[in-house]
Amino acid sequence: MASALPPLKALQTFEVAARRLSFSKAAEELYVTQGAVSKQIKLLEEYLERALFERSAAGLKLTNEGREYLSAISESLETIRKATARVQQSKGDKTDFRLDVIPSFSMLWLIPRLEQLQAYLPELNLTQVVGDGPYKFEANSADMAIRCLPLSLSMHNAELLASETLVPVIHASLLQKNPIVEPEDLLKHPLLAHITRPQLWISFLKNLGITNLSEPYYRHGFEHFYMSLEAAKLKQGIALIPDFMANDALASGELVSPLDIHYPSGYGFYFLTPTYQAHNSTILKFLDWLKTELALQSAK
């Protein structure tokens, strides 16, 4: 048996394929063809003289040797990644960072403040890509991420930027026909539903003590806050929006928030980093700027 190290490319391919238990999904993650994945796995199995996968009509699963090998290889590859990051950071010249961020946070709050960010942190070159839901750094290429998640979650290397406090917003002209002078008057207007959290309006209304919830009138539903906010600007009804995302539209007078209602939803906006980036000075400065600016917005 050969004593040299196995090919690094084959090890990386094996780690992804074993984690996903799918050559096709591994190919998507690695941006190669499924045939290229199969070729690298075959190369590694021939090198080890052991089968790492069991292939059947039911799908792909690891052999006993494959499971043992995955545990050791995953740990070793992570060690290599961390060591590489430390060397890169020690140069002190890394300025390009990739942020995976939920769309509404980027569009309604971060992009409008890029000029302030540049003044505070001129060395930062920020690339933004959008995503949603739990984020796994080992399967992606971002240096940091921002997600809206339940406050009850316990996460490693996660910093709470701000708790989510929702405010109802509506175009001022809609109040001329149906004024809102008490909470029940909200039901005189169409409600813009948040389809990924369908109970959001019900929880909000119950929190106000409104019990007659048999027939709230929903007009349209949206996946993201920035979509609901835009619909509210176009006089489609009342939207529930995080306060710091709504502040610019409220300050301009484009929208109003009737009764000055603030509803803590039980969610929060979290800043996530992989372990090897947790102490990066530029990322820590960016995090400090985010927390400071969001605190100022929430105080308005």
Side-chain angles (χ1 to χ4, degrees):
M1 180 180 293
S3 59
L5 291 172
L8 179 59
K9 186 175 182 179
L11 292 177
Q12 292 174 307
T13 303
F14 165 70
E15 190 273 333
V16 176
R19 174 164 42 82
R20 305 296 295 270
L21 284 179
S22 168
F23 286 1
S24 60
K25 291 180 180 179
E28 292 176 5
E29 183 172 324
L30 294 168
Y31 298 100
V32 297
T33 65
Q34 186 172 337
V37 171
S38 298
K39 182 178 179 180
Q40 290 298 321
I41 297 301
K42 181 181 179 182
L43 177 66
L44 185 58
E45 288 180 325
E46 290 177 347
Y47 181 92
L48 297 171
E49 298 180 359
R50 295 289 187 277
L52 298 173
F53 293 96
E54 292 180 8
R55 304 157 177 84
S56 68
L60 198 67
K61 69 177 185 178
L62 289 165
T63 62
N64 290 335
E65 291 86 352
R67 281 191 292 273
E68 292 179 6
Y69 201 51
L70 173 63
S71 177
I73 290 303
S74 296
E75 184 176 344
S76 299
L77 289 175
E78 181 62 18
T79 299
I80 293 171
R81 293 188 188 103
K82 291 178 181 177
T84 302
R86 284 194 295 269
V87 171
Q88 290 175 329
Q89 292 169 21
S90 68
K91 299 176 184 177
D93 59 0
K94 179 175 173 58
T95 59
D96 298 321
F97 291 90
R98 185 180 180 91
L99 172 68
D100 194 301
V101 57
I102 52 177
S104 295
F105 191 101
S106 176
M107 296 182 68
L108 297 178
W109 192 84
L110 184 53
I111 290 176
R113 288 165 178 77
L114 287 179
E115 186 173 351
Q116 293 99 304
L117 175 59
Q118 184 177 8
Y120 177 82
L121 199 56
E123 67 268 27
L124 174 65
N125 295 322
L126 190 64
T127 296
Q128 296 186 52
V129 297
V130 295
D132 211 347
Y135 192 82
K136 295 183 178 181
F137 285 100
E138 63 270 18
N140 297 278
S141 59
D143 298 292
M144 44 196 168
I146 294 175
R147 289 291 187 269
C148 184
L149 301 167
L151 290 171
S152 58
L153 290 184
S154 177
M155 295 168 291
H156 186 57
N157 289 337
E159 184 87 16
L160 179 64
L161 296 174
S163 298
E164 183 184 76
T165 300
L166 299 172
V167 295
V169 296
I170 188 172
H171 197 279
S173 66
L174 297 180
L175 298 179
Q176 296 174 4
K177 182 178 180 181
N178 290 311
I180 298 176
V181 296
E182 58 183 1
E184 286 78 5
D185 293 335
L186 293 166
L187 298 176
K188 296 177 181 178
H189 295 270
L191 309 180
L192 302 176
H194 199 292
I195 61 174
T196 58
R197 286 152 68 181
Q199 294 301 311
L200 197 57
W201 267 110
I202 299 299
S203 299
F204 171 78
L205 295 169
K206 284 183 177 179
N207 186 68
L208 293 177
I210 299 175
T211 56
N212 182 22
L213 300 175
S214 57
E215 295 184 359
Y217 171 38
Y218 295 105
R219 175 188 287 166
H220 310 310
F222 302 96
E223 183 178 6
H224 298 292
F225 288 124
Y226 76 87
M227 302 166 76
S228 300
L229 187 69
E230 187 63 24
K233 291 178 181 179
L234 295 173
K235 307 178 185 181
Q236 293 301 301
I238 307 178
L240 281 178
I241 306 294
D243 54 0
F244 68 89
M245 294 185 188
N247 279 345
D248 289 347
L250 294 173
S252 70
E254 192 171 10
L255 295 174
V256 296
S257 183
L259 305 179
D260 194 29
I261 299 168
H262 292 73
Y263 171 61
S265 70
Y267 279 70
F269 294 87
Y270 287 88
F271 185 82
L272 312 172
T273 53
T275 300
Y276 66 86
Q277 293 283 30
H279 302 290
N280 180 281
S281 60
T282 302
I283 289 179
L284 290 175
K285 289 179 184 176
F286 178 49
L287 172 59
D288 181 67
W289 178 84
L290 287 169
K291 293 173 69 174
T292 300
E293 291 297 314
L294 283 167
L296 290 173
Q297 286 290 305
S298 297
K300 290 183 178 181

